[in-house]
Amino acid sequence: MTKFNRRQFMVLGAAGTGAALVSSSWLRSDIFSQPAPQSAVNSVLLYQSSDGLLELNLEASESLVNLANKQAYLLTYNGQIPAPRLEAKPGDLVRIHFANNLEQPTNIHYHGLHIPIAGNADNVFLHINPGEKITYEFQLLPDHPSGTFWYHPHLHGLVAEQLFGGLAGLFIVRGKIDEIPEIQTAQEEFLVLQDFSPDERGKRATSAHMSLMMGREGNIITVNGQINPNIFLPANGMLRLRILNASPSRFYRLALENHLFYQIAIDGHSLSEPIEVNELLLTPGQRADVLVKGDRELGQYRLLNLPYDRGSMGIMGGGMMRDRNRNNQDQPIVLATVNYKSAVEFLALPTRLASISALPESQTVRSFELNHGMNPTVGMAFLINGEPYNGARLDTEVKLNTVEDWQIANTGVMDHPFHIHGNAFQVISRNGTSESLLTWRDTILVKRGETVRIRIPFRDFEGLTVYHCHVLDHEDLGMMGNLMIKA
Ligand code: C2O
Ligand code: CU
Ligand code: CU
């Protein structure tokens, strides 16, 4: 296409000769009448570390918020949907003075961060009662990966409900990846994907049993608490999107009209080089960092969520229980709109991002089977190796400073994204076929019928933590195990 800067275009336009050069959408007056490009998507509160310390007050409470231009009673951190964005650097100390003003107990999990799992750190066994306060304190290692992480409640039995209420925020670690020149000059936008189901009075609906078993999905999908916000492409034509699936159950299959994504990170971990993809599948809990090159005609392009079928309840549901709100019956949904106004320069993509070395072969191989069974009260139980979660049982004990292979087989009828706390892993194979992309991640999709083998180094931190399905209703209904890391 013809490249021209904004001033040249204005001149052409004023002379009435520019029309042939530009796409029709560019001529629409609503685009012209916009004020200077500005980000409508990032009005989220931000706390950044300074002098090696990130310290803040964080309060969980039910708040009346504006959601998609209606008032709704949601569960918030500091009154915000999504929660405030926290930013720190490797080596920083993090101190969060947390107050629970919910009507239920809660706690906070720092998803993907490699930090201590005992004490007042990433400890999912903390039980913070209504009205109680606690100070979370931990230090990021000097070599902590830089990337997109997040925080959310993790009290077993209430995780899905509290996340569905809105309690989720980004935790960004700034470091090496941010110093790569091509990435530094790109315009950074953060997209927190959440779905909600407020009723007419703005109250949070209590989900029916069947949708709990499938995993609850809301009928309103928001990006940073907004419906279809605008994202403006900068003049240099390069956008950096950090995308988080903060929904309890909904999978997002993302595509940007007429564009490819150049993925630079998965789950907060940089890839070795950008990879070109036309779709991004994000299960609950997963993150993707991508670059978008504004090399198309000026105009508007829709960021779409494409349908995805994550399974059904099979014979239990008898086909009758398919929830209308679920992705697999939907048309593509517009999540946001990318606007080009005057991309005049076209930045190059970075070539090298990070060096990733393959883990050594491991001596220990463990097997996990994901499935479900009957439960007399709630209908269905979600199981790992035939057992629903039991807080008093130790399921897996590993030795600190060892590497293990875990073979995860999904023999059920629904897809399950498998997540391990605190320790990222490499994917070795899927259904026996070795994985070609060497990368670190913390949540891996195991589709129904699949077997995925991952390799995990257990380093630095000992203590008790968990692994689970990140469809959080499945986790609350039992698909979780206790993991002890022992020196
Ligand atoms: Cu976002 Cu236990 O996880
Ligand atoms: Cu986690
Ligand atoms: Cu699951």
Side-chain angles (χ1 to χ4, degrees):
M1 64 163 273
T2 317
K3 295 175 189 170
F4 44 82
N5 68 32
R6 186 172 174 79
R7 208 183 67 232
Q8 281 166 335
F9 173 71
M10 297 297 245
V11 171
L12 287 170
T17 55
L21 286 174
V22 296
S23 71
S24 57
S25 62
W26 173 240
L27 292 176
R28 276 168 43 192
S29 58
D30 56 322
I31 301 175
F32 262 115
S33 60
Q34 301 262 6
Q38 60 180 15
S39 171
V41 278
N42 281 319
S43 47
V44 175
L45 218 64
L46 165 67
Y47 293 91
Q48 274 173 315
S49 65
S50 64
D51 298 327
L53 175 68
L54 173 69
E55 186 164 24
L56 62 131
N57 294 321
L58 197 70
E59 183 206 16
S61 66
E62 186 178 65
S63 315
L64 187 60
V65 297
N66 188 299
L67 181 77
N69 303 319
K70 286 200 196 101
Q71 299 287 95
Y73 294 92
L74 297 179
L75 305 184
T76 63
Y77 290 121
N78 292 2
Q80 302 262 312
I81 298 288
R85 184 168 89 240
L86 312 184
E87 293 195 2
K89 298 193 179 93
D92 282 354
L93 184 68
V94 179
R95 196 179 288 138
I96 298 173
H97 305 284
F98 176 65
N100 177 14
N101 289 325
L102 301 171
E103 281 161 12
Q104 301 173 324
T106 190
N107 62 21
I108 304 178
H109 167 50
Y110 304 88
H111 181 131
L113 290 184
H114 182 58
I115 55 173
I117 48 183
N120 286 6
D122 191 20
N123 182 350
V124 295
F125 303 102
L126 291 174
H127 190 106
I128 306 162
N129 282 316
E132 275 181 9
K133 291 183 176 149
I134 183 181
T135 297
Y136 281 100
E137 186 168 312
F138 53 85
Q139 188 146 19
L140 298 174
L141 294 173
D143 61 350
H144 194 286
S146 51
T148 306
F149 304 93
W150 64 301
Y151 62 103
H152 64 79
H154 215 292
L155 198 83
H156 179 62
L158 295 172
V159 184
E161 180 181 335
Q162 294 185 358
L163 208 81
F164 200 54
L167 292 167
L170 285 166
F171 194 115
I172 302 294
V173 180
R174 295 251 175 227
K176 287 201 186 95
I177 186 77
D178 303 275
E179 284 148 26
I180 294 172
E182 293 89 346
I183 293 178
Q184 212 167 34
T185 42
Q187 178 172 306
E188 186 179 40
E189 302 284 358
F190 303 85
L191 309 183
V192 178
L193 311 181
Q194 292 171 292
D195 56 352
F196 297 96
S197 266
D199 65 17
E200 319 75 57
R201 295 162 304 142
K203 297 275 187 199
R204 286 169 295 118
T206 48
S207 299
H209 270 171
M210 281 303 169
S211 76
L212 289 194
M213 281 176 260
M214 213 28 244
R216 66 190 88 191
E217 292 188 7
N219 49 8
I220 296 176
I221 303 183
T222 62
V223 174
N224 301 344
Q226 302 167 49
I227 289 186
N228 190 13
N230 283 303
I231 301 168
F232 292 98
L233 206 86
N236 68 24
M238 190 71 84
L239 203 55
R240 173 190 187 184
L241 301 178
R242 300 198 191 233
I243 311 170
L244 159 66
N245 180 352
S247 288
S249 310
R250 185 182 283 273
F251 287 29
Y252 293 87
R253 198 178 133 221
L254 305 172
L256 179 59
E257 284 181 311
N258 296 351
H259 289 74
L260 295 168
F261 296 116
Y262 298 91
Q263 188 161 12
I264 57 172
I266 291 177
D267 290 352
H269 295 266
S270 303
L271 301 175
S272 56
E273 58 193 6
I275 49 171
E276 208 178 280
V277 291
N278 47 28
E279 275 181 31
L280 285 171
L281 179 64
L282 285 186
T283 74
Q286 292 183 323
R287 291 85 68 209
D289 291 30
V290 299
L291 296 173
V292 172
K293 249 174 116 169
D295 54 2
R296 298 300 163 121
E297 283 184 36
L298 300 180
Q300 296 185 314
Y301 297 93
R302 297 175 301 172
L303 177 66
L304 298 171
N305 186 31
L306 305 175
Y308 181 84
D309 180 3
R310 56 190 176 84
S312 69
M313 292 198 283
I315 47 165
M316 284 218 40
M320 298 278 293
M321 300 302 177
R322 296 178 88 86
D323 183 333
R324 291 187 173 277
N325 291 333
R326 283 188 41 230
N327 248 7
N328 61 343
Q329 303 197 329
D330 288 337
Q331 295 297 311
I333 297 165
V334 182
L335 297 181
T337 305
V338 173
N339 294 264
Y340 285 31
K341 301 204 69 174
S342 53
V344 292
E345 275 175 61
F346 296 97
L347 293 186
L349 288 164
T351 48
R352 300 294 305 160
L353 298 171
S355 66
I356 304 173
S357 17
L359 288 165
E361 298 258 327
S362 70
Q363 277 83 49
T364 313
V365 182
R366 286 177 207 272
S367 296
F368 297 87
E369 185 189 5
L370 311 180
N371 207 329
H372 42 72
M374 298 298 287
N375 174 307
T377 45
V378 291
M380 227 170 167
F382 287 78
L383 315 171
I384 299 182
N385 291 342
E387 301 282 352
Y389 181 70
N390 174 346
R393 186 187 61 223
L394 181 58
D395 298 287
T396 309
E397 188 174 321
V398 307
K399 262 190 92 49
L400 190 67
N401 293 317
T402 58
V403 173
E404 293 203 357
D405 275 16
W406 287 13
Q407 182 123 325
I408 306 148
N410 179 348
T411 56
V413 291
M414 299 174 202
D415 292 0
H416 301 295
F418 189 83
H419 169 56
I420 306 175
H421 281 212
N423 296 281
F425 51 79
Q426 296 179 352
V427 177
I428 301 304
S429 66
R430 190 177 285 273
N431 295 331
T433 309
S434 50
E435 181 83 353
S436 51
L437 184 67
L438 181 61
T439 175
W440 292 100
R441 52 192 325 156
D442 61 46
T443 306
I444 184 71
L445 174 59
V446 187
K447 293 183 189 164
R448 47 200 190 276
E450 281 188 337
T451 298
V452 173
R453 186 171 177 138
I454 60 176
R455 189 162 290 167
I456 320 133
F458 294 98
R459 291 182 186 138
D460 305 306
F461 306 115
E462 30 177 330
L464 189 63
T465 191
V466 291
Y467 49 84
H468 60 89
C469 174
H470 217 292
V471 169
L472 294 169
D473 283 299
H474 296 174
E475 180 274 306
D476 284 331
L477 292 171
M479 199 173 269
M480 178 155 84
N482 283 325
L483 167 66
M484 175 62 94
I485 305 168
K486 262 198 159 161

